[in-house]
Amino acid sequence: MARIKPLPVELQKVAETELGEKPNRIPSDLQALRTWIEQQPHLNARLEEQFLIQYLRGCKYSLEKSKQKIDLFFTLKSKFPDFFNATNVQESRFRKMYNYGLCGPLPRPLKDNEARILFIKFDGDVAKGLVDFDELYRVTNALHEIIIMDDPYACINGIIYIFDLNNITLNMAAKYTPTFLRKLVQFYEKSLPLRIKGIHFINAPSFIHSVLSIVLPMLTEKLRQRISVNGQNYESLYKIIPKQYLPCHLGGENGSMEEIFKDLDQKWLEYENYFKENANYGTNEQLRPGKPLDFDSMFGLGGSFRKLDVD
């Protein structure tokens, strides 16, 4: 039997009915994906079954989509290591950024057995745009690797993001350049095996629409339909996420931010060796079969991947 964590009964049912999982085929499905990875000269990817099965589940057992996402996941890690490839979660720069408490999973999934809710807030120097955003988002990006390995509700039912924009400034909004946003879209929508079930902005200032006008055309139509922008009135949000599933400081019953980030601090310790192993994985574009990836079209950076890789 494959070495994967067993799912709660209700989640196993969802995996089978919505994602196309067939328990008796899991070993052969995993072997097919593992064999493909091992045959790629340019790709050195994780082969843990818990990691691989999430790509199969997140792609509804499409082997081709799983291949594409895994390839892009490790390609992004090699191309933008300071942004996507955390390897030391105890280094001072990383700890400084995760101590800001930018993003944390709320303890109860939606309706207690549906999608995981991630709450993102911006305070202090972060809200003022006074920190390096690549370093800041490296923590959030790394958190999603823990989720892939650790969170069955997010892995099966997906993720709902709530962004509290109460304190953000124009200076911070200016950090979301088109190139920066393209990197985020490629990572979150194109390379992660986690289904995005909703993105909700609360306490949104008027200038957030300028940022959204840049990012929305980059998203699929399905994802665009799952985005909502709310001011200080959350009534429309409550129709999607009942009030009790919001964190305590917003009048909900879904954990305090202090407790959430204390628990998360333990997760960083638990996965410290996992992130050290990240240094062993990635892609070598000089060995990629066929045409090089076109970063000009992906990010507007100019030139092909191989040209950009030349020092």
Side-chain angles (χ1 to χ4, degrees):
M1 181 61 187
R3 294 185 297 275
I4 58 175
K5 298 174 184 177
L7 294 173
V9 174
E10 72 274 10
L11 291 183
Q12 184 61 53
K13 184 181 296 185
V14 175
E16 294 175 24
T17 58
E18 294 188 15
L19 306 183
E21 182 162 299
K22 298 183 186 303
N24 64 322
R25 287 184 47 184
I26 286 176
S28 60
D29 288 335
L30 286 170
Q31 185 57 48
L33 187 53
R34 185 187 300 108
T35 298
W36 175 82
I37 291 171
E38 292 171 339
Q39 292 174 344
Q40 304 311 302
H42 71 293
L43 176 62
N44 189 12
R46 287 184 175 274
L47 297 176
E48 297 103 314
E49 291 176 334
Q50 190 65 45
F51 179 83
L52 295 182
I53 196 170
Q54 183 48 38
Y55 272 88
L56 292 171
R57 288 169 171 167
C59 297
K60 296 187 176 182
Y61 279 81
S62 166
L63 185 60
E64 290 308 309
K65 288 182 179 178
S66 299
K67 293 174 183 178
Q68 292 169 10
K69 285 205 168 194
I70 287 174
D71 194 343
L72 182 57
F73 180 77
F74 289 101
T75 296
L76 292 172
K77 281 176 164 292
S78 291
K79 188 61 190 175
F80 305 107
D82 289 341
F83 195 47
F84 293 121
N85 202 41
T87 57
N88 183 354
V89 297
Q90 298 306 323
E91 68 171 336
S92 59
R93 289 188 308 164
F94 193 92
R95 289 185 63 86
K96 179 180 178 180
M97 293 301 163
Y98 82 63
N99 285 336
Y100 279 117
L102 172 66
C103 176
L106 302 186
R108 294 164 59 196
L110 180 64
K111 299 181 181 177
D112 294 310
N113 60 7
E114 296 184 6
R116 178 65 65 192
I117 303 168
L118 262 67
F119 188 83
I120 301 97
K121 63 185 180 69
F122 304 100
D123 293 316
D125 287 347
V126 175
K128 295 174 183 176
L130 300 178
V131 302
D132 184 295
F133 262 41
D134 275 13
E135 289 188 3
L136 185 68
Y137 271 86
R138 183 166 56 132
V139 176
T140 303
N141 300 338
L143 173 61
H144 285 73
E145 293 193 60
I146 294 178
I147 289 172
I148 288 171
M149 301 296 288
D150 197 77
D151 188 338
Y153 290 95
C155 288
I156 302 301
N157 288 327
I159 296 179
I160 294 172
Y161 296 93
I162 300 178
F163 289 83
D164 187 348
L165 306 181
N166 188 51
N167 297 310
I168 71 166
T169 63
L170 276 169
N171 189 52
M172 177 190 162
K175 297 278 187 176
Y176 292 101
T177 65
T179 297
F180 185 89
L181 290 169
R182 287 189 188 101
K183 286 195 291 185
L184 289 181
V185 170
Q186 289 293 325
F187 186 70
Y188 285 90
E189 190 177 16
K190 308 297 185 184
S191 85
L192 287 184
L194 300 166
R195 295 185 295 162
I196 301 174
K197 304 307 286 286
I199 302 175
H200 306 287
F201 299 95
I202 61 174
N203 299 314
S206 58
F207 56 77
I208 192 62
H209 292 283
S210 297
V211 176
L212 288 176
S213 69
I214 298 173
V215 72
L216 285 176
M218 305 178 193
L219 305 177
T220 62
E221 177 61 26
K222 180 186 291 186
L223 186 51
R224 287 198 294 267
Q225 295 299 320
R226 294 176 178 177
I227 295 175
S228 72
V229 181
N230 306 269
Q232 295 181 343
N233 185 338
Y234 307 157
E235 290 304 318
S236 61
L237 179 65
Y238 293 155
K239 295 177 182 178
I240 304 169
I241 304 173
K243 184 176 181 179
Q244 63 264 36
Y245 292 99
L246 296 179
C248 296
H249 75 278
L250 292 178
E253 303 169 3
N254 207 356
S256 71
M257 300 312 294
E258 293 78 12
E259 294 169 342
I260 291 165
F261 290 115
K262 182 178 179 180
D263 291 343
L264 188 55
D265 195 52
Q266 286 299 116
K267 284 295 179 186
W268 293 121
L269 290 173
E270 182 181 338
Y271 279 85
E272 184 174 358
N273 287 333
Y274 170 96
F275 286 105
K276 287 180 179 179
E277 293 168 358
N278 270 351
N280 300 324
Y281 303 111
T283 58
N284 180 343
E285 291 305 313
Q286 302 303 321
L287 299 178
R288 181 183 291 277
K291 296 180 180 180
L293 293 185
D294 183 1
F295 265 60
D296 187 31
S297 60
M298 290 174 68
F299 299 106
L301 299 177
S304 72
F305 200 144
R306 285 183 179 146
K307 179 180 289 187
L308 286 171
D309 260 359
V310 174
D311 295 325

